[in-house]
Structure formats: structure tokens, C-alpha cells
Amino acid sequence: MLIIMRKELKLRINMKATAAAPSNIAFIKYWGKKDEKLRLPANSSISVNLSGLKTTTTVKFSKEYKQDKVQINGQVNKKESIRVVEHLDRIRKLAKIELKAKVVSVNNFPKSSGLASSASGFAALTVAATSAAGLKLSEKQLTILARLGSGSACRSIPDGFVEWIAGKTHQSSFARSIYPAKYWDISILVALVEGEKKKVSTTSGHKLARTSPFFGTRLKNINRKISLIKHLIKEKKFREFGQLVENESLEMHAIMLTSTPSLIYWQPATVAVMRHVRDLRHQGLPVYFTIDAGPHLFLICQNSDLTSITERLKTGRFIKKIILNRPARGIILTSNHLF
Ligand code: 2P0
């Protein structure tokens, strides 16, 4: 009896957990799904975790709570809460519990700006909530579960350079590390430009991909591209790698631009910085850009060129702020709870 009581007490004490997840930037992008509900992507993708963009989330399940409470960056937002509660429901079902939860989450970067807050957000929620619920899942199973919350979230769980294998079924669509964070001495500079809040969410954007006349061509060539990028990372062939990453980003934006309705995530400053990056290359500095579903740019360079490149980039008219990132390890559980 005493043992059971102690066990229950321990369980109750442990029903709170905190996870810190990096955001990630894709070199080969996820744009378009083959199954909306399961969030099965149209193609596999390759990414790296970012050391400077992080979400920390604390989840506590308790019978004291009459309903789920979700606070993100100090605010309660009904639309975001619905998606979080749907994810908590998946986790409660797995853990066979019915307790309500309190979720407090903070990003160290602006959300809904094209910096992937849903990736780090749903990765942190998945790991904090499963841990709080007492579930012991493998990394692979955590990536599968995180994917149901937001596709790109599965890539923020494993370490360093990550591949999300598209798969054809729920269990075969998961992410895994292909190289640890320290494998390659590169930096990713996030160049924040002036831009309004995103009008079209990525979830809605994905649905439009198939309306582009070029989407079929993209899918026809994507597996070759994935093999090539893995080879270039393995061999650390930076210039060829950078060129492929930049072309891939432009290809994804070509799909966005030619969808019906058309999606234009760029701002005038986005194009100005793209041109600046190309000028820097003409001056002999190997730096390449990639852009997600937003106006900001992610500039990739080798660490040996970092000082010269940041000096030339300078913040000012076009670039409002630069956030330096190195390849980062994946998600961690921490005892620094937010409440
Ligand atoms: C990526 N993006 O590979 C691509 C590039 C944005 C542009 O993954 O609907 O927020 O939640 O599964 O994960 C953004 O898509 O979409 C994204 P959902 P998600 O990083």
C-alpha cells in the first residue's frame, strides 16, 4: 500500500516537464503534403538545427486544472490553443490519462515571421508533454508524434543535420540525424528584414503547392536532389552545397509564386539582400541564402569567412537585425521550468 502511495506521489511530482527545442532551417524544403491529416510530406527534406532560435516549453498535467491552459510568449491565443490542445489530446490518449494541462511556452525570436516557430514549438510541446505524462518514447517515435503537430517539428528533435524521411504511412514518416552538429564548421546568419506578419499560414500554403504547374517537375527531381545534398554535406563541398541550397529555396518560391492563388512571401528588402549576397560572392566571399515562408533570409557561410561576411552585411536600411546560428544539437529536457 505504502509502495503504491509513494509511486502515485512520485508520478504526480513528475507530471511536469520542460523541453528546449531548436528551430531548424531546411536545405531541401518541405512544401506540399500527400496526406493532410497525418502530415505526410510530398517529399523528404534535409535540415540543420539552429543554435540561436529556441522554444522552451513547460507542461504540467494536474487534476487541479479544470481545463487546458495554454500561454505562448505571455499571451493566450484561441486559435493557437486549439492546435496545442489537439496535440495534448494525442498525448493523453497514448498515456491513457485524462488530466488537463497547463502549457507555458516562450520563443527567443519573433513568431509568425517566417522563422519557424511551429517547428521548435511543436517539438518542445511533444517532448515536454510526453515526459510529463510519463511516456517513454524512442527518438524515432517522438519525431513521428511531433510531425502530427507540425510537419517541420519532427526535424527539431534529432541532433545536428537531420533528414525527414517522407514515408508513405504514419509509422514510416520520421526524422533522424545524419550528422552531428559539430560535423561541419558553418554558420547560419538570420537576416531579419522589415516585414508584415504572415497573412497565409504555412499550413494553408502547403495546400496550394499542387496548384503550381511546376510542382510535378519538382517532385520528379527531388530524390536526386536529396542524394546530392547528402553527398555534398558528407564531402563538405561548401560552394556546391551553397549553390544547391540557394537554388532549392528559389525553386520552392517558384512553386509559391505560381500557385493559385499566388503566394508572395518576399518584401523589397528580401530581394535587396538576395542581390547583396550575390555581390558578395562576386567579390569572392562564399555565402548563400535560403528563404522560408517569410521575408527573412538565412545566410550560410563557412566559419572561416564569418567575420568578413558579417562586416560587409551590416544592419541598416534592409537588414534590421542579424541572428548568428551554428548547427545545434536537438531537443533537450531541462529542469529550468517556466512555472
Ligand atoms: C521547411 N516550411 O521545410 C518548409 C520551408 C516552410 C518553408 O516546413 O502544416 O509549419 O505545420 O506541417 O511545418 C513550414 O511548414 O507546416 C515548413 P505544417 P510547417 O521548413
Side-chain angles (χ1 to χ4, degrees):
M1 182 65 172
L2 193 65
I3 295 170
I4 293 169
M5 271 170 66
R6 276 214 190 109
K7 232 178 163 179
E8 273 183 3
L9 192 66
K10 196 167 164 237
L11 195 69
R12 224 171 287 155
I13 289 166
N14 284 340
M15 296 215 84
K16 174 157 135 179
T18 300
S23 183
N24 69 74
I25 179 70
F27 301 136
I28 302 294
K29 310 289 191 185
Y30 154 47
W31 197 247
K33 296 173 192 170
K34 56 183 170 231
D35 187 313
E36 294 286 332
K37 205 157 164 259
L38 289 177
R39 284 191 152 82
L40 296 180
N43 57 271
S44 298
S45 53
I46 305 282
S47 62
V48 70
N49 290 327
L50 300 171
S51 63
L53 305 178
K54 190 172 76 169
T55 300
T56 305
T57 301
T58 299
V59 179
K60 182 180 176 185
F61 290 101
S62 170
K63 64 175 189 224
E64 289 159 26
Y65 303 140
K66 298 287 170 262
Q67 57 182 48
D68 293 315
K69 300 177 201 173
V70 180
Q71 190 197 87
I72 301 173
N73 291 331
Q75 298 193 328
V76 177
N77 175 310
K78 213 171 156 196
K79 208 169 140 203
E80 284 178 342
S81 298
I82 292 171
R83 209 164 147 189
V84 169
V85 170
E86 277 172 9
H87 205 54
L88 289 172
D89 286 342
R90 292 181 187 114
I91 291 162
R92 278 189 279 251
K93 201 171 160 196
L94 276 177
K96 300 187 176 69
I97 58 169
E98 288 181 357
L99 298 171
K100 298 294 180 193
K102 179 175 174 180
V103 177
V104 175
S105 186
V106 289
N107 292 326
N108 70 345
F109 58 95
K111 70 185 173 65
S112 299
S113 59
L115 299 181
S117 60
S118 73
S120 50
F122 276 95
L125 177 67
T126 303
V127 171
T130 50
S131 173
L135 286 167
K136 300 247 179 304
L137 301 181
S138 65
E139 181 182 276
K140 180 177 171 182
Q141 287 306 322
L142 286 168
T143 72
I144 289 171
L145 186 55
R147 193 200 76 232
L148 295 174
S150 181
S152 53
C154 71
R155 298 192 311 236
S156 282
I157 291 176
D159 277 336
F161 295 79
V162 174
E163 175 176 27
W164 171 11
I165 297 163
K168 288 195 174 91
T169 58
H170 176 50
Q171 283 299 330
S172 61
S173 185
F174 66 96
R176 62 166 183 201
S177 176
I178 49 173
Y179 293 101
K182 286 197 171 17
Y183 182 73
W184 205 1
D185 295 333
I186 58 169
S187 293
I188 304 97
L189 298 163
V190 180
L192 294 177
V193 298
E194 198 74 59
E196 350 156 33
K197 223 178 144 191
K198 233 184 331 195
K199 288 204 185 90
V200 180
S201 72
T202 45
T203 302
S204 315
H206 279 291
K207 289 185 192 153
L208 302 177
R210 280 175 203 281
T211 66
S212 164
F214 307 122
F215 192 62
T217 307
R218 169 169 172 74
L219 292 187
K220 221 186 291 163
N221 296 321
I222 201 83
N223 287 341
R224 212 170 16 196
K225 234 185 197 182
I226 287 183
S227 305
L228 180 57
I229 201 117
K230 283 163 80 172
H231 169 75
L232 296 174
I233 297 172
K234 181 177 177 219
E235 300 297 328
K236 301 182 185 170
K237 290 190 172 172
F238 185 73
R239 285 169 197 257
E240 287 169 66
F241 162 81
Q243 198 60 69
L244 184 61
V245 169
E246 196 172 292
N247 288 352
E248 158 65 3
S249 164
L250 291 169
E251 183 178 295
M252 179 185 72
H253 282 272
I255 300 289
M256 292 165 163
L257 289 165
T258 52
S259 296
T260 308
S262 167
L263 291 173
I264 306 176
Y265 285 109
W266 299 344
Q267 292 290 330
T270 314
V271 180
V273 179
M274 286 157 80
R275 289 183 180 281
H276 191 177
V277 166
R278 291 194 165 181
D279 285 345
L280 291 178
R281 282 215 295 276
H282 285 135
Q283 292 164 29
L285 283 171
V287 53
Y288 299 85
F289 65 78
T290 180
I291 305 169
D292 269 359
H296 313 298
L297 297 95
F298 297 73
L299 311 182
I300 307 169
C301 68
Q302 295 168 106
N303 290 351
S304 48
D305 296 317
L306 183 62
T307 315
S308 333
I309 288 167
T310 37
E311 266 170 17
R312 281 173 176 80
L313 281 174
K314 294 258 177 353
T315 53
R317 197 163 143 225
F318 296 118
I319 299 179
K320 297 293 161 201
K321 193 180 169 189
I322 294 174
I323 305 171
L324 171 63
N325 294 272
R326 293 273 156 74
R329 58 180 295 194
I331 202 157
I332 54 161
L333 278 166
T334 157
S335 52
N336 296 328
H337 303 303
L338 296 176
F339 63 91

